[in-house]
Amino acid sequence: MPLFINRESSLSSDKLEGVLILLPPSEGKTAHAEGSPFDLADLSFPELSDDRHQVLGALAEVSGRADAMDVLGVGASLANEVARNINLHIEPAAKAHDIYSGVLFEALGYSTLSPEAQRRADQSIVVISALWGAVRFADRIPPYRLSMSVKLEPLGKLASWWKKRLAAILDEAAADQLVIDARSSTYAAAYKPSNGNSVAINVFQLRNGLPKVVSHFAKHTRGEVARFLVQQETEPATADELVQLIRSRWEASLVEDKKGRALNILLPEDHQFTTAK
């Protein structure tokens, strides 16, 4: 029997096929000078439209207040980005893979993927967002400034607010397929897969012979893992299949604790990274 099984996928619905790869958004977003505004009706997971409308309204109201920077937890250098939150409905929008930037997304390198790998990324990657709840790469959104850790009046802490709304929708999308969770803890709090077939991605680096958590390398490596997965012609269906595939490139082990299963990737002491080209 082959190690992996081919699965046909379609972008005609929110039912994902193959694997579901969960990513956090980037804090920074790339603004575009031209483009039509977003349309809530065109986003994936349209069941979230009313919820997104509520967050958009609350964010616009808070962003116009004198204490907006404090509420949103950002510094004065981001004042223009916070001000942009007020009029997101008229801001130029672009596909999510063009909006999200930063270490993880640079490592994923969507623009340098083959057309087939881009199709797989569009189908299998879901970004968990404080503003949109969940979006896929082909969804058109504007740049915004909002973290999942924010307590946004009158909704409350966004991770808790979205958790009640994402669970059923994303569990239905995931079904029984393998969920590969490459999110940070802040965004992982908004949705926990419940199908019993999920694996978190943890990254460590050897430092003086001991494995240490390395935030910057972790983001980059998770982006590399996502890129590696969408480049495969077949997908892993189980955690065991995933670890076998990942071991073809990284030193990795599968562990399980009270939080669930995790794939621990161990980088060497002399590890360096480069942006995908």
Side-chain angles (χ1 to χ4, degrees), residues 23-27 29 48 55 59 71-74 100 126-135 144-152 155-166 170 183-192:
L23 298 182
S26 58
E27 291 300 322
K29 318 291 190 300
L48 298 173
V55 182
L59 178 60
V71 174
L72 298 178
V74 298
Y100 292 121
V126 171
V127 179
I128 304 302
S129 163
L131 179 56
W132 313 107
V135 292
Y144 60 95
R145 176 60 63 166
L146 182 64
S147 170
M148 191 66 83
S149 62
V150 168
K151 185 176 182 180
L152 189 65
L155 307 179
K157 192 171 181 180
L158 288 170
S160 300
W161 194 83
W162 278 117
K163 188 174 184 179
K164 301 173 184 177
R165 293 156 174 82
L166 291 177
L170 292 183
R183 294 173 294 168
S184 59
S185 59
T186 301
Y187 287 87
Y191 168 64
K192 182 178 181 180

Side-chain angles (χ1 to χ4, degrees), residues 69 74-86 91 143 145:
M69 312 300 284
V74 298
S77 63
L78 299 176
N80 288 338
E81 293 187 23
V82 171
R84 188 165 55 203
N85 286 340
I86 300 172
E91 287 289 324
R145 176 60 63 166

Side-chain angles (χ1 to χ4, degrees), residues 97-173:
H97 62 74
D98 285 329
I99 292 293
Y100 292 121
S101 54
V103 175
L104 188 154
F105 292 91
E106 288 175 358
L108 195 155
Y110 182 93
S111 65
T112 65
L113 291 169
S114 69
E116 182 63 16
Q118 289 182 348
R119 184 195 65 79
R120 295 191 196 101
D122 291 345
Q123 178 65 17
S124 62
I125 291 175
V126 171
V127 179
I128 304 302
S129 163
L131 179 56
W132 313 107
V135 292
R136 296 198 296 209
F137 267 13
D139 290 331
R140 296 182 65 260
I141 59 174
Y144 60 95
R145 176 60 63 166
L146 182 64
S147 170
M148 191 66 83
S149 62
V150 168
K151 185 176 182 180
L152 189 65
E153 299 176 6
L155 307 179
K157 192 171 181 180
L158 288 170
S160 300
W161 194 83
W162 278 117
K163 188 174 184 179
K164 301 173 184 177
R165 293 156 174 82
L166 291 177
I169 292 171
L170 292 183
D171 279 350
E172 181 180 1

Side-chain angles (χ1 to χ4, degrees), residues 183-241:
R183 294 173 294 168
S184 59
S185 59
T186 301
Y187 287 87
Y191 168 64
K192 182 178 181 180
S194 63
N195 67 358
N197 192 23
S198 64
V199 182
I201 304 296
N202 296 328
V203 182
F204 303 87
Q205 184 186 18
L206 282 176
R207 296 283 177 88
N208 298 319
L210 297 174
K212 301 291 184 181
V213 175
V214 280
S215 177
H216 199 64
F217 281 160
K219 292 178 182 178
H220 187 270
T221 303
R222 285 170 176 152
E224 288 185 317
V225 168
R227 179 183 177 88
F228 179 69
L229 290 171
V230 300
Q231 288 178 317
Q232 307 306 307
E233 294 183 0
T234 54
E235 310 93 0
T238 66
D240 289 335
E241 290 182 0

Side-chain angles (χ1 to χ4, degrees), residues 3-4 19 178-181 198-201 225 228-229 235-248 250 252 254 262-263:
L3 180 60
F4 306 128
V19 296
L178 180 63
V179 180
I180 300 168
D181 193 348
S198 64
V199 182
I201 304 296
V225 168
F228 179 69
L229 290 171
E235 310 93 0
T238 66
D240 289 335
E241 290 182 0
L242 175 64
V243 71
Q244 290 184 55
L245 178 61
I246 293 299
R247 281 175 176 166
S248 69
W250 291 276
L254 191 64
L263 182 68

